[in-house]
Amino acid sequence: MKRVVYLCLVCSVLLACSPDELSVCSPDGNTCVTFSLNDDGAPRYAVSKNGKAVLISSPMGLKTERMDLTRDFTIMNSTRATHDETWETVWGEERTIRDQHEELTVMLRHTSGYKLHIVFRVFDDGIAFRYSSPDRSEMTIVDEATSYCFAEEPHVWSIPWRTEYYEGLWTKQLLSQIDTVCSPVTIEMADGSYAFLHEAALTDYPAQNLFADGSTLRTYLTPWKDEEAKDMEAKVYVRGRLNTPWRLLVLTPTLPDLVASRIMLNLNEPCAIEDTEWIRPMKFIGIWWGMHIKTMTWEAGPKHGATTANMERYLRFANKHGFDAVLAEGWNLGWEDWKSFDFTTPYPDWDMDHLSRFADSIGVAIVGHNETGGNAASYEQDLDSIYRYHAKHGIHVIKTGYVAPIIRTMDGLQWNKGQSGVRHYRKVIETAAKYHIMIDNHEPVMPTGLSRTYPNLVSQEGVRGQEWNAWSTDGGSPCEHVTVLPYTRIMAGPVDYTPGVFHFENPIIPTTRVHSTLMNQLGLFVCFYSPLQMACDLPEHYMEHPDAFRFIEHVPCDWERSILVDGTIGDFCIFARQGRGTDDWYVGGITDDEAREAVVPLGMLDSDKTYRVTLYEDAPNADWFAHPYAHNIKEMTVTAADTLHVRMAPGGGFAAEINPVQ
Ligand code: NOJ
Ligand code: CA
């Protein structure tokens, strides 16, 4: 369904001598942007919400090797447009998304003659803008001046910009205290409202980073690695028409509104894939956790994980317990040195023809795995033959990996989130689409909503995921970590965190473990959104708690509607989601190391129906350290007028399945 309700364009020619100020407000009139040129012809913008300043006059523009596009402009013209459209997601947190905004394009002319357009879009829940140009040119951008001058200094949740693969613990600091950090950041405003600052539609441009200058955030684009002088580092090679990613600032009064914002997706282009029938969310298990807890190996040998016999065992288990697929890592040559991976030659103890036939015969898919060790260049050269090989064996989803702090791209050694890395990841997605292959990208560039355009980019890592609880020498992630992610990293897009550890003793590093109760692991399946969702533990560990495992068997990973019921960043999170195409609801809660009572009003249920709830909750004596497994499972009947009250233990959580009574 695609419904363009109303689109109008109004052109207004401005006299060069008119006051150089233009404003545009959101459809509800409450969020406004004012653009101006100062006496130096330098572009500035300011943002207000409900009549109160959010950003005061903030610099904009670009610097190229030859032109200073941060000043010496005149306004030539401006256009306005109104947009209201509802579009249907291929998969998502909800079936339909409304894109309603007001647009203002300011057309500037630089003293050099260069034409720069700044396009603003203002939504009820935030603002965005991008730089573009009608001129074709070859130029090197050395800096982007985009700044965010906050009227009052807020607190910012962030990770440092060089955090490898974005796998860090998020911290909250006063804005002026942060160093250079990755995009996105989540902001607790001084007046108690919230903001989310990120970018959308990152295309042929480096990922943005941000740094503090008093209570202003400024942009630091990820540089090309071969330039040493910081102030003249090459950031972007522009060949043709400039069209930057959108700079995006979501502004909402509450956290549930922040989490519900879909501006980032709306700023991306509509789906570029005509037939999307082959793209489908999947819940899967994998030959994976065994390698991280070192009971199995990726490379062939006595403990080899990806053998024909082991994969058959996993496929049978998946079939019996209703999983869509099984991932296998370590099936292909190259794991001895992590350098010379071969993506079309299995180890001798992996019979690809047999396994693909067997998987097909029992209706379970195989999730392929392509770990490049950071050698993106050689992967890219062979993409067509690699994907042809996988498609021939019925493999239509591949987890890709780039374990290397700096990847080797077609342009040499580069940051994965620099322009060259961004180009590589895009090439992978576009090529995969030709072979009907979905991608789950590990060690990615931070998502920016591209999966609206390429829904075969289904999930990504880019997070300190569950694997750290197997081998990190710092003891594993603290309980708080999972209660930060829904409001920070996951705001940027689906996350392959790999929830679902059911056995907490660690055979390798006894002091490192999952800081969580069993029920918290269940809650993650609802709180952490990923349409490729891997239940990460071993089949034999799931069989230690078959009663709790039932929730994982039942919970879907594609949704009709999603609601953040309650939460605070770094404390707790409660989500309710309706399974796509069903009347079933799933509620999940997670808390940090403090016990809390979850209060869940059931007003989202149909008022004329009665429902049966299966509630999976921490037992009264449960806590993540001493009694992580203690839980109770209860059944009850409810209506939309009821409220669930559930106690979450320290490091605990809960899950509920709510089905209409037939
Ligand atoms: C790191 C990934 O995050 C993990 O999931 C994978 O098992 C290893 N790399 C090997 O590719
Ligand atoms: Ca990783």
Side-chain angles (χ1 to χ4, degrees):
M1 180 187 61
K2 188 170 175 189
R3 190 166 54 95
V4 178
V5 173
Y6 168 50
L7 179 75
C8 88
L9 272 173
V10 182
C11 282
S12 63
V13 180
L14 292 170
L15 296 173
C17 61
S18 67
D20 289 339
E21 191 167 290
L22 294 160
S23 286
V24 55
C25 292
S26 56
D28 68 4
N30 293 332
T31 305
C32 296
V33 175
T34 302
F35 172 85
S36 59
L37 287 182
N38 72 9
D39 293 346
D40 297 326
R44 295 280 185 272
Y45 75 109
V47 178
S48 67
K49 180 124 189 155
N50 300 322
K52 199 177 148 209
V54 176
L55 300 183
I56 54 172
S57 178
S58 301
M60 317 180 84
L62 304 164
K63 282 192 176 164
T64 76
E65 263 177 338
R66 290 196 212 103
M67 292 181 289
D68 183 355
L69 299 175
T70 66
R71 50 175 295 160
D72 303 324
F73 283 106
T74 44
I75 299 178
M76 300 310 293
N77 198 355
S78 69
T79 59
R80 291 174 186 271
T82 296
H83 190 87
D84 190 353
E85 171 193 0
T86 299
W87 55 279
E88 186 158 347
T89 58
V90 174
W91 44 260
E93 291 184 89
E94 49 269 305
R95 183 181 289 277
T96 57
I97 292 179
R98 186 174 182 186
D99 176 1
Q100 192 190 16
H101 64 258
E102 296 292 325
E103 184 176 289
L104 166 70
T105 302
V106 185
M107 297 161 178
L108 302 172
R109 188 187 189 90
H110 192 244
T111 43
S112 64
Y114 187 78
K115 296 191 203 84
L116 185 71
H117 293 181
I118 306 180
V119 187
F120 292 95
R121 287 190 183 168
V122 187
F123 304 75
D124 290 348
D125 54 352
I127 66 113
F129 58 88
R130 77 176 347 161
Y131 306 98
S132 68
S133 178
D135 293 346
R136 299 188 71 81
S137 56
E138 287 207 359
M139 59 187 195
T140 305
I141 294 175
V142 295
D143 197 14
E144 182 179 319
T146 305
S147 302
Y148 310 83
C149 304
F150 285 85
E152 289 178 277
E153 185 178 7
H155 283 89
V156 175
W157 286 89
S158 67
I159 50 173
W161 85 278
R162 278 195 179 166
T163 307
E164 280 177 11
Y165 330 121
Y166 307 100
E167 297 186 13
L169 295 173
W170 292 69
T171 55
K172 175 179 165 178
Q173 289 161 293
L174 267 173
L175 191 157
S176 56
Q177 306 301 305
I178 65 170
D179 205 339
T180 307
V181 298
C182 294
S183 180
V185 295
T186 298
I187 300 173
E188 295 186 19
M189 304 288 274
D191 66 358
S193 65
Y194 292 89
F196 176 71
L197 201 169
H198 193 31
E199 57 188 330
L202 177 59
T203 303
D204 201 10
Y205 203 84
Q208 71 173 10
N209 307 282
L210 301 154
F211 65 95
D213 177 3
S215 51
T216 293
L217 279 173
R218 297 199 192 279
T219 303
Y220 175 60
L221 297 177
T222 306
W224 283 77
K225 264 206 73 61
D226 38 17
E227 300 289 331
E228 289 306 327
K230 203 171 175 195
D231 52 343
M232 283 305 274
E233 277 172 335
K235 307 290 182 10
V236 198
Y237 292 113
V238 180
R239 302 283 177 265
R241 290 189 50 188
L242 174 76
N243 206 24
T244 71
W246 292 92
R247 274 54 189 108
L248 157 70
L249 183 67
V250 180
L251 294 165
T252 62
T254 69
L255 213 40
D257 292 332
L258 193 81
V259 166
S261 174
R262 300 291 172 245
I263 300 181
M264 187 186 70
L265 289 173
N266 282 332
L267 291 166
N268 276 271
E269 295 299 317
C271 184
I273 300 174
E274 216 164 290
D275 161 28
T276 55
E277 277 300 299
W278 54 276
I279 300 173
R280 61 183 178 110
M282 287 184 183
K283 195 172 54 174
F284 59 104
I285 54 170
I287 298 179
W288 181 80
W289 186 241
M291 278 84 95
H292 289 273
I293 58 171
K294 295 195 167 55
T295 58
M296 297 177 193
T297 59
W298 279 284
E299 67 277 10
K303 292 200 288 178
H304 191 202
T307 65
T308 305
N310 204 25
M311 185 62 172
E312 272 195 23
R313 181 170 76 92
Y314 271 69
L315 286 164
R316 282 203 181 88
F317 184 87
N319 169 264
K320 183 165 172 201
H321 296 279
F323 287 89
D324 303 298
V326 178
L327 161 77
E329 296 195 2
W331 65 274
N332 60 320
L333 299 186
W335 288 90
E336 288 70 21
D337 61 4
W338 281 62
K339 284 199 182 84
S340 38
F341 288 110
D342 176 335
F343 303 105
T344 53
T345 313
Y347 279 120
D349 55 357
W350 175 274
D351 185 340
M352 184 61 108
D353 288 331
H354 165 75
L355 284 169
S356 75
R357 274 197 308 271
F358 178 68
D360 190 47
S361 75
I362 62 169
V364 178
I366 295 176
V367 177
H369 184 234
N370 292 174
E371 171 58 61
T372 66
N375 197 344
S378 77
Y379 187 53
E380 193 169 318
Q381 259 154 7
D382 296 340
L383 273 183
D384 281 284
S385 58
I386 295 167
Y387 292 162
R388 206 173 298 121
Y389 172 85
H390 283 77
K392 181 179 138 215
H393 289 98
I395 298 175
H396 289 283
V397 45
I398 296 178
K399 170 177 169 182
T400 53
Y402 297 84
V403 175
I406 298 164
I407 62 172
R408 175 170 296 283
T409 70
M410 299 303 244
D411 307 294
L413 291 176
Q414 297 294 338
W415 300 113
N416 68 343
K417 58 179 181 169
Q419 184 179 15
S420 182
V422 168
R423 284 178 183 157
H424 169 75
Y425 292 118
R426 179 65 64 89
K427 180 93 197 267
V428 167
I429 300 158
E430 290 182 5
T431 311
K434 283 199 301 188
Y435 296 91
H436 288 193
I437 284 174
M438 295 176 267
I439 296 291
D440 172 6
N441 184 182
H442 275 225
E443 297 82 35
V445 64
M446 184 60 72
T448 60
L450 268 182
S451 41
R452 175 178 179 191
T453 313
Y454 292 100
N456 65 317
L457 171 61
V458 185
S459 194
Q460 310 189 53
E461 191 191 35
V463 72
R464 178 171 158 131
Q466 188 84 272
E467 61 189 15
W468 285 71
N469 297 326
W471 40 251
S472 174
T473 50
D474 62 7
S477 303
C479 298
E480 181 192 83
H481 181 53
V482 291
T483 68
V484 176
L485 297 177
Y487 312 112
T488 53
R489 160 62 185 85
I490 306 176
M491 291 279 300
V495 69
D496 190 20
Y497 178 86
T498 66
V501 170
F502 261 42
H503 185 98
F504 300 119
E505 287 73 39
N506 184 328
I508 304 302
I509 314 178
T511 50
T512 291
R513 59 181 287 180
V514 184
H515 292 210
S516 144
T517 68
L518 201 63
M519 296 300 101
N520 177 291
Q521 291 295 307
L522 297 190
L524 294 177
F525 280 85
V526 186
C527 291
F528 282 15
Y529 172 58
S530 183
L532 281 174
Q533 186 72 284
M534 181 163 90
C536 72
D537 212 336
L538 312 174
E540 50 274 35
H541 288 167
Y542 285 131
M543 289 302 93
E544 288 170 9
H545 306 284
D547 58 342
F549 186 52
R550 204 165 309 126
F551 182 77
I552 299 180
E553 292 175 329
H554 290 188
V555 67
C557 57
D558 192 21
W559 308 102
E560 194 72 33
R561 275 175 70 197
S562 296
I563 301 164
L564 177 69
V565 176
D566 200 1
T568 53
I569 308 175
D571 293 337
F572 74 107
C573 169
I574 301 165
F575 263 99
R577 302 189 196 263
Q578 182 186 5
R580 187 161 288 207
T582 75
D583 289 326
D584 302 320
W585 283 81
Y586 298 81
V587 185
I590 50 176
T591 178
D592 61 4
D593 48 12
E594 261 185 51
R596 293 173 207 276
E597 191 196 359
V599 180
V600 187
L602 296 175
M604 69 276 188
L605 302 180
D606 280 354
S607 55
D608 58 350
K609 288 197 175 90
T610 302
Y611 293 81
R612 203 184 54 227
V613 178
T614 310
L615 176 66
Y616 301 75
E617 63 177 357
D618 290 320
N621 67 334
D623 75 77
W624 72 268
F625 187 72
H627 301 290
Y629 302 110
H631 68 277
N632 291 317
I633 300 175
K634 283 184 195 155
E635 302 247 330
M636 64 194 92
T637 301
V638 298
T639 68
D642 289 315
T643 297
L644 292 179
H645 293 264
V646 194
R647 182 184 170 276
M648 299 189 282
F654 73 97
E657 179 174 358
I658 307 179
N659 314 111
V661 176
Q662 297 309 320

